[in-house]
Amino acid sequence: VHMVVALTDYTSLRPKGGSLFCEINSLELRGFSVVQIRQLLAFMQGRCDLWQVERNEADVHHYNFYNTADWVIRPATYDHKCSFSELVASNAQSQRPNWFVSHWWGEPVVDLACSLERHGATRGLSATSPYWIAAFALCLHSTSAEAAGAAGDWSNAPFFKAMRRCNGAVLLVDDQAKVLNRAWCCYEAFVALCPDPIRRNPLLFDVVAVGFGNRVPVVLNDGLSTEQQEIADTKGRASGWCLKSQQEAFFPEEVLEAALRINLDTSEAMHIQDKQRILKVLAPKVRDSSGL
């Protein structure tokens, strides 16, 4: 058996001149910006040829969140047992998220970066505006019970708290629409769309699709985007909504068709107990309303 040991120095991921890591005690405040995602991809691009187990792992475009967690996030944070957001943060304030991201871990990190860049442009966000992304916000050395919430109370779970403090949630649809068959993502969409008595304003809910026919992401935004609102303010409300209609005409029909086929009973989850808990929570709510 021929074995190759690849030693990787992760110190360059930390901000220059900063401490070993920036402790952010509240998991819901551990955001991650597009700039930081691009820095992660640049780090991976220069090293993935040493990590490859399978042939396609020599190309950073094939790295999803499962193997990125294995090759970068877990080993880089192992010594400090912290989240990746804390490892790369220069200060806690700059990591506070305004948007919650729901996505499938099997999606390439490159596609996630492209989708959030397009979403940020649609919503008038800067490249340094943080998003809450579970893979970066959670300490992957902790138990899944901690991530899900104490004693099974999901209203106390990090994702629920993060969603509650954000202005909106964005669902990223991969090129096979597999995200729509993931139990967790369906549950996050349900929570985002349900009224929350604690929130003063409803949560915005956007959808970004990438990889259908081309690699250019298309945004289906809740209400008017920044550009659409500017047109509405200067040329009249009808003009803003007309522009929205024109831009969203490119949204792939495959996603809409897949959304109509969502079936929680046949949805998938990495841990079967998570799916069972999700079904237990959603079943009575879906029966009593239009649900998903």
Side-chain angles (χ1 to χ4, degrees):
V1 177
H2 180 65
M3 180 179 294
V4 176
V5 178
L7 300 178
T8 304
D9 182 2
Y10 297 98
T11 57
S12 62
L13 290 167
R14 302 168 186 160
K16 294 180 180 179
S19 59
L20 294 180
F21 75 103
C22 176
E23 186 174 4
I24 305 174
N25 291 323
S26 298
L27 278 72
E28 67 270 21
L29 300 181
R30 300 174 187 168
F32 210 81
S33 70
V34 171
V35 166
Q36 290 170 324
I37 298 172
R38 285 299 181 187
Q39 290 171 343
L40 167 63
L41 287 168
F43 175 87
M44 293 167 61
Q45 182 65 66
R47 296 163 178 81
C48 61
D49 58 328
L50 299 174
W51 300 336
Q52 59 177 316
V53 175
E54 299 179 5
R55 184 176 303 173
N56 61 5
E57 287 188 353
D59 184 352
V60 72
H61 289 80
H62 292 284
Y63 273 72
N64 58 34
F65 278 82
Y66 292 113
N67 44 25
T68 298
D70 290 340
W71 286 108
V72 184
I73 300 176
R74 287 190 181 91
T77 58
Y78 180 80
D79 287 344
H80 305 293
K81 299 298 188 292
C82 64
S83 69
F84 198 67
S85 174
E86 293 172 290
L87 184 76
V88 305
S90 56
N91 62 80
Q93 186 65 32
S94 65
Q95 300 301 124
R96 289 175 174 261
N98 289 313
W99 281 84
F100 177 96
V101 176
S102 180
H103 72 109
W104 176 47
W105 273 44
E107 176 186 33
V109 180
V110 169
D111 284 358
L112 177 132
C114 293
S115 295
L116 292 186
E117 283 173 341
R118 185 73 190 99
H119 180 261
T122 300
R123 287 298 183 180
L125 307 175
S126 72
T128 58
S129 297
Y131 288 84
W132 197 89
I133 304 169
F136 301 134
L138 301 177
C139 174
L140 301 188
H141 307 285
S142 301
T143 63
S144 58
E146 180 183 5
D153 180 11
W154 280 356
S155 64
N156 194 42
F159 89 90
F160 196 95
K161 290 182 177 180
M163 197 178 292
R164 177 166 279 171
R165 77 165 309 280
C166 286
N167 296 325
V170 53
L171 175 67
L172 307 185
V173 184
D174 56 284
D175 59 2
Q176 299 180 56
K178 286 189 176 181
V179 68
L180 300 178
N181 194 42
R182 304 299 295 182
W184 264 113
C185 295
C186 290
Y187 181 59
E188 289 166 352
F190 186 89
V191 172
L193 292 169
C194 283
D196 185 346
I198 294 180
R199 289 187 59 86
R200 183 170 299 176
N201 298 311
L203 196 71
L204 294 171
F205 188 76
D206 295 346
V207 182
V208 184
V210 65
F212 293 86
N214 58 64
R215 306 307 294 177
V216 179
V218 183
V219 182
L220 197 66
N221 49 276
D222 189 349
L224 297 181
S225 69
T226 302
E227 179 189 14
Q228 295 157 3
Q229 187 61 56
E230 289 174 353
I231 295 297
D233 293 340
T234 56
K235 298 184 178 181
R237 184 171 176 80
S239 296
W241 284 94
C242 182
L243 177 60
K244 172 182 171 69
S245 206
Q246 292 170 354
Q247 292 174 337
E248 294 181 353
F250 295 97
F251 195 82
E253 294 180 3
E254 298 95 325
V255 176
L256 303 178
E257 293 170 354
L260 293 174
R261 296 194 299 269
I262 289 177
N263 187 332
L264 290 174
D265 288 333
T266 59
S267 63
E268 300 175 351
M270 179 179 291
H271 304 292
I272 187 62
Q273 61 268 32
D274 284 349
K275 177 182 175 179
Q276 292 170 344
R277 291 172 66 193
I278 289 169
L279 289 174
K280 185 176 181 180
V281 171
L282 289 186
K285 295 182 179 181
V286 172
R287 281 198 301 268
D288 296 340
S289 66
S290 58
L292 290 173

